[in-house]
Amino acid sequence: QVQLVESGGGLVQVGDSLRLSCAASGRIASTYDMGWFRMAPGKEREFVGTISRSGGNTAYADSVKGRFTISRDNAKNTVYLQMNSLKPEDTAVYYCKAQSILTIKLTYWGQGTQVSVST
């Protein structure tokens, strides 16, 4: 069982930066790829980015590529989302996801953290 808790959200202005954290209760280092998703008001949840269990491979949605960076500290069981050059369209609830590499049945989500970008 893995529990995920996101933090670091808030209200910022256009062009500002934020770093989100996702702390896992269980060990995620060896068997979980991690991802970030977001859900804007009135829209479906969408993929933001993902990072492999070792941290060696990352992938991003085109809308955030070059502005957002995912990293992980397996010793701390924590995943980060560094968000730079924030835009109003980045406003959303951001969710952390843990996906077991052993079975698709083991998927965990955090409760989300709100990011609001004002003009």
Side-chain angles (χ1 to χ4, degrees):
Q1 185 78 13
V2 174
Q3 292 184 325
L4 304 173
V5 178
E6 301 96 334
S7 61
L11 174 63
V12 296
Q13 295 185 330
V14 171
D16 284 351
S17 297
L18 272 179
R19 188 178 80 157
L20 305 183
S21 298
C22 172
S25 61
R27 292 191 64 187
I28 58 172
S30 59
T31 57
Y32 286 89
D33 291 333
M34 302 297 294
W36 286 96
F37 290 72
R38 66 186 182 185
M39 184 180 294
K43 296 186 178 181
E44 295 185 352
R45 185 161 55 190
E46 65 174 2
F47 168 78
V48 173
T50 187
I51 187 167
S52 62
R53 55 179 173 153
S54 67
N57 293 301
T58 57
Y60 300 93
D62 288 342
S63 58
V64 307
K65 200 172 293 182
R67 298 188 298 122
F68 290 11
T69 303
I70 297 177
S71 61
R72 64 191 293 168
D73 185 337
N74 285 336
K76 296 182 178 179
N77 288 319
T78 301
V79 180
Y80 304 98
L81 179 65
Q82 178 67 43
M83 305 185 294
N84 299 328
S85 302
L86 283 162
K87 305 176 181 180
E89 51 264 43
D90 294 320
T91 295
V93 177
Y94 283 72
Y95 298 89
C96 179
K97 175 187 175 183
Q99 176 62 59
S100 172
I101 64 169
L102 302 177
T103 170
I104 196 171
K105 295 180 180 180
L106 287 179
T107 302
Y108 301 97
W109 292 91
Q111 84 291 346
T113 185
Q114 176 71 48
V115 173
S116 300
V117 184
S118 66
T119 56

